[in-house]
Amino acid sequence: MAEDAGFLKELRLRAHAKPEAAALLAPGREALTYGELWGQIDALASALRSAGLRRSDAVAVVMPDGPEMIALCLGVVGTAACAPLNPAFSEPEFQFYLHDFGARALIVQTGLSPAAESAARSLGIEVWKATAASDRKAGVPALDCPCALRVRAGEQADAGEAALLLHTSATTGTPRLVPLTHSNLQAMAANTRSVLGLGESDRFLSMMPLFHLQGLMSSMAQLLAGGAVISTAGFDPENFMAWLEEFRPTWYTAGPALHSSILPLAQRHKDVLRRFPLRFVRSIGAPLPPELQAQLEDALEAPVLNGYGMTETGLVTSNSPLPEQRRHGSVGRAVGTEIAIVDEAGDELAPGNEGQIAVRGPAVIEGYRNNPEANRLAFRNGWFLTGDLGRLDSDGFLFVTGRLKEIINRGGEKILPAEVDEALQAHSAVTE
């Protein structure tokens, strides 16, 4: 792969150093080594370049979760900007995202999403079919590129080029297009590896959607740290405990809903967890209720680490697996990213005061794509304004208290939805 940048360079060096080490594992599949993974990534990138793709192009990817999705995304990133999409989207949704990306091509698994194919063709976007390999190896699927795109010369690889294109979740408005550069991804992976202490002996159990940053970045961080990624098609209550026995993961990451589903399994099968212990578990994406965290830690006999991050920033804070570096109710301390709490004027507040969370650092994007108004509102004096409310204590631990746009004004009294949730959860008449 010519001129690979950022985290891809790190992955290439690791593959050359330990080519026989297992990289991707999956239920019912043979392991793919680092050497084999890099060979497939390199071959796919070469094929895509031969088809006419360049670094500034966007390629949408619609694949089911699994090892093929991880390997395919890495191969696309080696050539162009990869834009993973949810296979469950409707045709109008695909039309919106494909148009917003400015996609030159769509890679979709054969038979997976007729809606994605129809949307791409309606926009004049070339469709390339991906077919899972016939053998049992986990890896890049076979790709049919029937037509070469018009080649555009004069573009050079650069760590500042977009590597991954994602949209915000749009809980309060139109999704914003987030371009993550090779440098952003490298910094995000380094931050995750550092705070979690990931190494070659770790194995990550991937159960989160790979079209979101959380699932994909966790896999990338583990690959750059060595060890293996156990890539599943998603959480399966009937097979979860069997996965622990077969693959012996040392950690997984999930949101509160998935943790709630895992809890009763862990409570019933403590013997399995004692024989195949987890080193830690991550919780990110939404606030984890304290009672659920306590129950999980008791059942798993492992720390459950709260963290805070965004698509635009990657992991911002996290509690550490080390007991002395965790604090109850906090999402942890800064991980390679600078944090400040600011008032409405943008001035920094002293520890203990509540305000908007602002961040800056190499993992943070420089701006949204094609959205000057969003950039004007979100970026100020070198800081990215997250829209979340919180406070820092004197030791630098962050406590997230709410969302700026979700404050309820009741006759002048400012109420946060989280306060309502906590009151309901504490009521004896509320079961769930």
Side-chain angles (χ1 to χ4, degrees):
M1 183 183 300
E3 301 184 53
D4 50 291
F7 70 95
L8 283 177
K9 181 178 181 179
E10 288 191 51
L11 184 58
R12 172 173 57 82
L13 293 175
R14 179 161 293 281
H16 289 170
K18 293 196 173 181
E20 300 304 317
L24 293 180
L25 308 173
R29 310 288 292 278
E30 294 180 15
L32 191 76
T33 68
Y34 274 90
E36 292 170 331
L37 174 60
W38 183 256
Q40 292 193 14
I41 291 171
D42 197 15
L44 176 60
S46 296
L48 294 177
R49 281 195 300 273
S50 298
L53 287 177
R54 292 296 179 266
R55 292 275 181 176
S56 58
D57 292 328
V59 177
V61 175
V62 179
M63 294 284 293
D65 291 326
E68 282 81 10
M69 177 63 167
I70 295 174
L72 185 58
C73 284
L74 290 172
V76 171
V77 163
T79 306
C82 180
L85 289 172
N86 184 351
F89 279 156
S90 65
E91 185 170 339
E93 287 173 318
F94 277 121
Q95 287 176 334
F96 168 80
Y97 288 111
L98 290 171
H99 178 268
D100 206 36
F101 287 136
R104 288 196 83 202
L106 165 71
I107 298 176
V108 57
Q109 179 169 296
T110 302
L112 177 65
S113 177
E117 295 183 38
S118 178
R121 292 193 173 101
S122 72
L123 295 171
I125 296 171
E126 195 164 310
V127 176
W128 296 340
K129 300 291 188 67
T131 305
S134 57
D135 59 27
R136 294 177 62 82
K137 277 279 187 183
V140 175
L143 189 62
D144 179 17
C145 303
C147 302
L149 298 170
R150 179 174 58 85
V151 176
R152 294 184 294 185
E155 298 174 348
Q156 300 295 320
D158 188 278
E161 287 280 353
L164 197 63
L165 298 175
L166 299 168
H167 280 87
T168 60
S169 57
T171 55
T172 57
T174 303
R176 298 174 178 181
L177 180 51
V178 179
L180 298 175
T181 67
H182 290 264
S183 294
N184 290 148
L185 294 180
Q186 187 175 24
M188 289 177 180
N191 292 344
T192 301
R193 289 160 57 192
S194 174
V195 72
L196 300 180
L198 297 180
E200 296 178 357
S201 61
D202 283 304
R203 288 187 168 192
F204 168 59
L205 179 59
S206 173
M207 300 181 290
M208 299 294 286
L210 295 173
F211 51 82
H212 285 313
L213 182 62
Q214 181 183 170
L216 195 55
M217 179 49 63
S218 296
S219 298
M220 290 167 58
Q222 182 63 77
L223 288 172
L224 295 192
V229 173
I230 305 154
S231 187
T232 73
F235 173 67
D236 183 347
E238 295 184 2
N239 290 306
F240 177 75
M241 301 310 297
W243 291 341
L244 297 187
E245 294 190 62
E246 179 181 359
F247 296 109
R248 305 186 182 187
T250 58
W251 67 290
Y252 70 83
T253 185
L258 183 51
H259 285 310
S260 296
S261 298
I262 289 173
L263 177 60
L265 298 174
Q267 290 172 329
R268 289 199 302 268
H269 299 283
K270 283 194 172 186
D271 58 320
V272 175
L273 287 157
R274 291 192 179 107
R275 285 186 287 120
F276 308 104
L278 293 160
R279 188 162 71 84
F280 64 88
V281 166
R282 289 180 69 206
S283 184
I284 200 167
L288 183 67
E291 182 178 356
L292 176 57
Q293 180 175 354
Q295 292 175 326
L296 272 172
E297 291 188 333
D298 177 70
L300 298 173
E301 297 185 6
V304 177
L305 309 178
N306 281 312
Y308 168 72
M310 303 176 68
T311 305
E312 297 94 329
T313 65
L315 185 65
V316 173
T317 67
S318 177
N319 283 289
S320 164
L322 301 175
E324 64 273 16
Q325 296 183 22
R326 298 199 300 273
R327 187 151 299 179
H328 181 71
S330 169
V331 291
R333 289 192 284 198
V335 181
T337 298
E338 191 177 353
I339 305 175
I341 304 298
V342 301
D343 61 19
E344 293 182 0
D347 297 324
E348 292 187 38
L349 299 172
N353 289 287
E354 184 181 87
Q356 185 173 187
I357 301 169
V359 298
R360 63 185 177 190
V364 181
I365 65 168
E366 293 185 359
Y368 297 106
R369 179 170 287 188
N370 302 325
N371 200 329
E373 178 61 16
N375 289 332
R376 184 185 67 80
L377 296 173
F379 294 88
R380 185 183 301 169
N381 300 325
W383 292 93
F384 171 68
L385 305 178
T386 65
D388 291 319
L389 297 172
R391 58 181 173 83
L392 290 167
D393 69 10
S394 58
D395 294 321
F397 283 88
L398 177 66
F399 295 78
V400 179
T401 56
R403 181 78 180 160
L404 194 62
K405 292 184 178 180
E406 293 176 353
I407 294 177
I408 301 166
N409 190 334
R410 182 178 180 272
E413 179 186 6
K414 302 298 176 65
I415 303 172
L416 297 172
E419 296 172 336
V420 179
D421 290 340
E422 290 173 5
L424 290 172
Q425 289 167 2
H427 198 284
S428 60
V430 178
T431 301
E432 182 177 330

